[in-house]
Amino acid sequence: MMVNKKRTSRNWGAMGFVAVLSTMILSSRALADEQGISTEQLKQSLDTVWVLIAAFLVFFMQAGFGMVEAGFIRAKNTCNILTKNFLDFCMASLGFFVVGYAFMFGSGNGFIGTDGFFLAGLGDKTTSGIPVFAFWLFQAAFCGAAATIVAGGMAERMKFTGYLMYSFIISALIYPIIGHWVWGGGWLAGKGFFDFAGSTVVHTTGGIAALIGTIILRPREGKYAPDGRANAIAGHNIPLASLGVFILWFGWFGFNPGSTLGVHDGGFSIGRVAINTNLSAALGGIFAMLMVWKRFGKPDLSMAMNGALAGLVGITAPCACVEPWAACAIGAISGVIVVLGVQFLDKLHIDDPVGAVPVHGMCGIWGTIAVGIFGKAALGTANNGLLYGGGVSQLGVQILGSLSTVVFVLVGMGLVFKLIDVTIGLRVSRDEELRGLDIGEHGMEAYSGFQVFTTT
């Protein structure tokens, strides 16, 4: 009887929510008629609200990145990594406001935009049917996500001042230029390159920047033994990392579905993007777990979580143009790639403490290429993918776009990191690294009052 009462209560609650929502919609329509608001204006308002909600979700992903990265590193560096994540969004907001938006969405040429600095004169303009200020916030959240990816790959040994310089430059220059190529009407857009929500623009950019940064920075003390073996340096808080993964997964429902920039087709495209996003993440987690279980004998949680993130990255480009079964395949392959990628980097002695390069760099490239294999022209791509009889035309464009991005980021960010290294320095001293960056860089501890081992 108690179960039936609870079920009845839940049913009444759901019915009440639907009734309130219906009343709000009808009231809005009645108010619009009364005030002479056109259907087009009402539609724009609804689209704007949807994009802003998505922007808020993407902003919340900064917390997810912070929790994941903090959990996967040692306790003595927790304040440092969280400070970097926090300041990433601050620097991204400033850089993207001052010049980044203009470089990305301003008119100009196929390489870079040349107007719209400080959003001057854009207050009453629209982009993709959305007021520019709302559109800017959505894109600024994406910019912050690209910047913060690098924090994990270069964790536990990079100077904070050098990181601030990097964060501003990638937000104001590197990320916007690539964004202009793809989303701002640049040369890749003209060739039919398809990246719906950012496997290339956001994740490949951030992942490859992390790759060149960690190569220049060199491995952490004690990561590799004299005989070349990789020593495991365990993260200090897996529950914290787990929370971060769930936050990121949740935020991705703003990241990908929000990139529809409206509900103009009755929500069908939003529904497709959302289910594909979820399925790819789920299969990524499953296959990464199975892969590491088979190879090492244990179902490692940290690798399963990175597999879910890999699936999310992999589906970000093709989420709007593939069927759900294809999303499952893309996620499964992403889960395998992240496991193999971690092992490959260790063989090369490239020290990536949180797996930023395999998750974002490698799976960002895979997701971009997947458009050319599984994509359907009826769902938005310029040509059908390989599996739908489109030949290699779309696949070739996707490979070209991905390769161009990789080369540009390697060269551009390589120069930036080298410049930082020879001016103010990129890496902390050995003593400071062993003691922990929380004390040396910030004069504080994440777990004050607890004994934290800080010599290795």
Side-chain angles (χ1 to χ4, degrees), residues 46-327:
L46 183 60
D47 289 346
T48 302
V49 170
W50 165 242
V51 170
L52 284 174
I53 291 173
F56 304 153
L57 287 172
V58 178
F59 167 75
F60 190 49
M61 290 173 71
Q62 290 290 137
F65 280 115
M67 298 301 98
V68 169
E69 292 169 6
F72 279 163
I73 64 170
R74 289 167 289 185
K76 62 184 180 180
N77 299 309
T78 304
C79 283
N80 178 260
I81 200 70
L82 291 176
T83 307
K84 288 172 178 175
N85 273 270
F86 180 80
L87 267 297
D88 262 326
F89 196 78
C90 297
M91 301 301 282
S93 295
L94 177 61
F96 200 67
F97 170 70
V98 174
V99 296
Y101 183 87
F103 288 155
M104 190 163 175
F105 292 104
S107 59
N109 52 58
F111 182 78
I112 192 171
T114 56
D115 60 12
F117 300 102
F118 293 93
L119 302 183
L122 299 178
D124 59 348
K125 307 295 183 183
T126 62
T127 298
S128 300
I130 305 297
V132 166
F133 286 176
F135 183 74
W136 178 88
L137 184 63
F138 183 67
Q139 294 297 337
F142 273 55
C143 182
T148 205
I149 289 167
V150 179
M154 301 177 71
E156 301 201 292
R157 72 267 202 211
M158 183 178 180
K159 282 187 176 180
F160 182 66
T161 50
Y163 188 85
L164 289 180
M165 288 184 62
Y166 141 79
S167 184
F168 184 83
I169 293 171
I170 195 173
S171 302
L173 184 64
I174 303 297
Y175 170 83
I177 289 176
I178 295 170
H180 183 76
W181 295 355
V182 180
W183 295 336
W187 69 275
L188 280 176
K191 291 183 178 296
F193 181 80
F194 187 91
D195 182 8
F196 186 75
S199 286
T200 289
V201 176
V202 177
H203 298 286
T204 301
T205 298
I208 299 303
L211 173 62
I212 188 62
T214 195
I215 289 173
I216 294 172
L217 197 57
R218 302 182 310 279
R220 291 168 290 175
E221 292 288 339
K223 174 59 181 175
Y224 298 104
D227 62 1
R229 290 181 297 104
N231 296 317
I233 301 179
H236 84 284
N237 196 327
I238 294 301
L240 192 65
S242 302
L243 174 62
V245 171
F246 278 119
I247 291 174
L248 286 171
W249 195 330
F250 175 65
W252 235 285
F253 292 124
F255 204 99
N256 287 359
S259 294
T260 58
L261 299 180
V263 294
H264 38 269
D265 65 349
F268 284 100
S269 59
I270 294 173
R272 176 183 295 278
V273 172
I275 189 174
N276 286 344
T277 299
N278 193 69
L279 287 173
S280 185
L283 270 292
I286 291 170
F287 271 75
M289 180 198 69
L290 293 175
M291 184 77 173
V292 75
W293 198 348
K294 182 177 184 296
R295 292 177 72 87
F296 302 108
K298 298 290 183 181
D300 185 274
L301 173 59
S302 63
M303 195 61 75
M305 292 190 296
N306 262 345
L309 296 179
L312 289 164
V313 170
I315 199 61
T316 297
C319 56
C321 69
V322 300
E323 298 292 347
W325 70 265

Side-chain angles (χ1 to χ4, degrees), residues 383-436:
N383 301 284
N384 278 326
L386 196 62
L387 296 184
Y388 291 94
V392 297
S393 56
Q394 188 68 47
L395 181 60
V397 171
Q398 297 302 120
I399 293 173
L400 172 65
S402 189
L403 182 61
S404 300
T405 300
V406 169
V407 172
F408 181 75
V409 175
L410 283 175
V411 174
M413 289 310 305
L415 290 173
V416 169
F417 285 130
K418 273 296 184 183
L419 182 62
I420 294 172
D421 195 27
V422 299
T423 52
I424 63 174
L426 197 62
R427 183 166 181 151
V428 300
S429 68
R430 182 178 184 275
D431 288 343
E432 189 172 337
E433 180 181 344
L434 294 177
R435 187 169 62 248

Side-chain angles (χ1 to χ4, degrees), residues 19-52:
V20 170
L21 185 60
S22 300
T23 301
M24 289 175 62
I25 293 172
L26 291 173
S27 299
S28 298
R29 179 66 266 176
L31 183 62
D33 291 337
E34 182 181 320
Q35 296 183 354
I37 299 174
S38 67
T39 301
E40 187 61 31
Q41 289 174 310
L42 191 61
K43 173 186 172 300
Q44 184 186 68
S45 299
L46 183 60
D47 289 346
T48 302
V49 170
W50 165 242
V51 170
L52 284 174

